[in-house]
Amino acid sequence: MRVLFASSEVFPLVKTGGLADVSGALPAALAESGIDVRVLMPGYPEAMERTEAKRHVGSFGDPLAVGGEAKLVSGKLPGSGVPVWLLDCPALYDRPGGPYQATAGHDHPDNHLRFGLLSWAAAQLAVDGSPVKWRPQLLHGNDWQTGLAPAYLHAWSPAERPATVFTIHNIAYQGQFPPDAVPRLGLPAAMYQMDGLEYYDHLSFLKAGLFYSDRLTTVSPRYAREIQSAPHGCGIEGLLTERAADLVGIVNGADYSVWDPAADSHLVRPYRAADVAEGKAANKAALQAELGLAKDPDAPLMVVVSRLNDLKGMDMVLAVLPVLLREGAQLAVVGTGDRVMEDAFRSAAATHPDRISASIAYSETLAHRLMAGGDMLLMPSRFEPCGLTQFYAFRYGTVPVAHATGGLADTVVDASYDSLMTGTATGFSFEHANAGAFQWALERALGVYRNREQWRRIQATCLAQNFSWERSAARYVELYRSLVAPAPGKARRRA
Ligand code: ADP
Ligand code: GLC
């Protein structure tokens, strides 16, 4: 089966968060399952630079009149070798800044065009008139940046169109633009209505994806339920409830070729489950030295690898700092995000340099070192569609302390009396997103940490978890097959 997988970020070409991890690893797992998958993404300069075996394969012209041609460049993803198509349009993508923002806090002013074109190209590649011969039978879009693709297919009404699947990685980001973006993007005015593109007097890319796609998925079963009501539905709960029969939650996987403590070049001392105690001790000592924390092998080291904002519950981490200090714990943070939050962590670290470290940066190396050297990973997210760092923590024998929401609720087993007895506990979780409940979970975690025997048991259960992509990819393949008959050839006829 031929599948076009469209995404705005793909690891290791460009990454701001979990979407990139998924967009790098899921297509590789799909390819392993025999799917003929190609990834489509914008040709940001660093993505162009890192793509292997690049060649120009066609041109789209300038369909949205952005002032420059959009070319299609094919290549391979480093590592997996999965075929990737870069939408090479320098007028939109060749500029400083990240995929979404020019500078921290300021979106690119033409994001409707940047991601309108991405969506347009995804749709165009799937129908007659595509600049290349390869035609997907199924188009899989991800998040708002690709939400207009099924809307274009609807607007064009081609004789044959691919089946469409749309995955919500985070419903809080919706891609909303003023109504004049509708004609600007070449979409018919008639589609700008409640049963269509309109969302509270704005064009919503996300709603377009949710309204016009054949099937919807999100990244955990719990989140699939949560977004069907307020507040998690972020205003789209009505549409999602109507489409509940078409919505499925499939938990993400972890890319164990990237996150493997036994073969991790970022670590001073790689380790396996068999020598986890020695391995973690060596990495913890190295981390304490690197970050200027007190060299204390017995101090529980809590780590945060996260965007720093309220949605991730980082205000709750700040609120429990006095408790952590009182309990003799250390905290190491690597993250970027809201300015106020960044400053608050910086200032806490400046006040307690031997106990708190705040690396306000994006650093793959530190992310890996924190997973290896840390004892507990803090994830008090107010909501978390899936979350990936808890999977990495499991693999590195680091125990998550997490709010029981979304994917965290589905994947972290709280250390209750029962789960401790049966050896199924993999972390500490709390039901209500407030600092008091978080503190209670932390105090429980610290209590168990001091009981080395019990801690080692939890760690062993974490290390035994298997969240490989294979299983999740099988669920996607099953979904694809329910939409596209296995017989080779024909794309779906227009519904
Ligand atoms: P989200 O996508 O909502 O940010 P996820 O847990 O799904 O949350 O994915 C976050 C990804 O981004 C993980 O791979 C994590 O290691 C990475 N990450 C987040 N912040 C940083 C940072 N400051 N430096 C390096 N990696 C980071
Ligand atoms: C989003 C979510 C996160 C999820 C990731 C990948 O960024 O916030 O929970 O793991 O997408 O699906």
Side-chain angles (χ1 to χ4, degrees):
M1 185 193 312
R2 297 180 303 278
V3 174
L4 180 62
F5 189 95
S7 177
S8 57
E9 51 180 281
V10 181
F11 183 83
L13 302 183
V14 173
K15 166 169 166 178
T16 72
L19 173 62
D21 287 2
V22 173
S23 304
L26 172 56
L30 291 170
E32 286 280 313
S33 321
I35 301 284
D36 177 7
V37 60
R38 317 231 161 158
V39 177
L40 174 72
M41 69 174 294
Y44 314 111
E46 62 273 48
M48 297 289 283
E49 214 172 280
R50 291 177 189 162
T51 298
E52 291 170 352
K54 276 196 303 284
R55 68 197 169 82
H56 173 254
V57 289
S59 171
F60 293 108
D62 183 8
L64 300 184
V66 300
E69 187 186 1
K71 295 181 192 151
L72 193 64
V73 169
S74 96
K76 304 240 179 247
L77 284 184
S80 66
V82 166
V84 59
W85 277 338
L86 297 156
L87 185 57
D88 181 20
C89 180
L92 292 183
Y93 307 126
D94 187 5
R95 63 177 75 162
Y100 318 116
Q101 300 191 328
T103 52
H106 292 99
D107 287 356
H108 293 292
D110 53 355
N111 272 347
H112 59 301
L113 296 175
R114 286 159 65 84
F115 300 110
L117 185 72
L118 177 65
S119 300
W120 184 95
Q124 179 64 77
L125 284 167
V127 297
D128 283 344
S130 162
V132 288
K133 267 214 211 104
W134 187 91
R135 208 63 101 254
Q137 294 160 290
L138 186 140
L139 174 55
H140 187 162
N142 294 276
D143 272 354
W144 73 265
Q145 295 88 348
T146 58
L148 289 189
Y152 280 116
L153 289 174
H154 179 87
W156 300 339
S157 277
E160 282 190 357
R161 72 156 175 91
T164 48
V165 170
F166 185 75
T167 298
I168 307 166
H169 294 266
N170 196 334
I171 204 167
Y173 302 102
Q174 304 189 342
Q176 288 175 35
F177 301 95
D180 60 3
V182 174
R184 178 68 191 85
L185 290 165
L187 288 161
M191 283 169 64
Y192 186 67
Q193 50 158 310
M194 202 174 84
D195 283 338
L197 305 169
E198 190 264 348
Y199 174 81
Y200 293 103
D201 293 330
H202 280 74
L203 160 65
S204 164
F205 276 47
L206 182 76
K207 187 179 166 197
L210 298 177
F211 189 84
Y212 290 108
S213 299
D214 297 326
R215 290 295 161 81
L216 311 176
T217 80
T218 188
V219 288
S220 70
R222 170 78 76 112
Y223 193 61
R225 290 197 299 278
E226 287 173 347
I227 54 180
Q228 291 179 46
S229 55
H232 288 83
C234 295
I236 306 200
E237 53 272 11
L239 173 56
L240 288 169
T241 311
E242 271 168 38
R243 298 218 55 192
D246 296 322
L247 170 66
V248 58
I250 302 177
V251 169
N252 286 330
D255 187 344
Y256 292 137
S257 69
V258 176
W259 295 94
D260 174 10
D264 190 329
S265 58
H266 298 290
L267 308 189
V268 290
R269 157 94 153 72
Y271 59 95
R272 298 175 180 280
D275 61 351
V276 62
E278 297 81 0
K280 285 191 78 70
N283 284 292
K284 182 171 176 174
L287 197 59
Q288 287 171 332
E290 177 179 354
L291 301 177
L293 295 169
K295 277 189 191 160
D296 182 350
D298 295 324
L301 175 55
M302 321 225 153
V303 297
V304 167
V305 180
S306 179
R307 293 185 281 123
L308 304 178
N309 58 33
D310 276 354
L311 297 182
K312 292 287 183 187
M314 288 298 128
D315 53 313
M316 289 186 253
V317 175
L318 289 165
V320 300
L321 287 182
V323 180
L324 298 190
L325 293 169
R326 193 182 67 218
E327 296 278 343
Q330 297 183 343
L331 173 71
V333 176
V334 60
T336 58
D338 295 353
R339 203 48 65 74
V340 179
M341 208 72 95
E342 292 182 347
D343 288 345
F345 278 108
R346 268 199 203 99
S347 113
T351 314
H352 306 279
D354 57 338
R355 311 285 298 286
I356 299 175
S357 149
S359 306
I360 306 304
Y362 187 90
S363 162
E364 288 287 335
T365 299
L366 267 184
H368 284 247
R369 289 183 178 169
L370 261 56
M371 287 297 169
D375 295 301
M376 297 165 204
L377 175 76
L378 307 188
M379 296 188 78
S381 310
R382 286 208 161 65
F383 68 85
E384 194 62 79
C386 180
L388 294 168
T389 47
Q390 76 273 27
F391 300 151
Y392 308 152
F394 290 155
R395 201 54 158 196
Y396 284 67
T398 301
V399 179
V401 181
H403 177 213
T405 183
L408 293 173
D410 284 340
T411 61
V412 177
V413 179
D414 182 47
S416 63
Y417 180 80
D418 281 354
S419 64
L420 282 172
M421 286 306 125
T422 52
T424 51
T426 58
F428 297 83
S429 61
F430 56 101
E431 289 291 332
H432 299 286
N434 61 61
F438 181 39
Q439 176 179 334
W440 173 74
L442 278 171
E443 283 169 348
R444 284 193 300 133
L446 287 165
V448 177
Y449 179 78
R450 292 190 190 105
N451 177 337
R452 285 302 154 116
E453 173 88 14
Q454 267 189 351
W455 191 257
R456 264 196 284 277
R457 251 185 117 189
I458 295 190
Q459 226 177 20
T461 312
C462 289
L463 287 161
Q465 298 299 301
N466 182 358
F467 284 97
S468 70
W469 266 109
E470 215 180 321
R471 207 170 29 179
S472 308
R475 300 281 318 278
Y476 283 102
V477 172
E478 201 181 298
L479 173 70
Y480 295 167
R481 297 236 183 271
S482 73
L483 288 167
V484 179
K490 287 291 150 215
R492 224 173 107 95
R493 289 211 66 86
R494 169 155 46 107

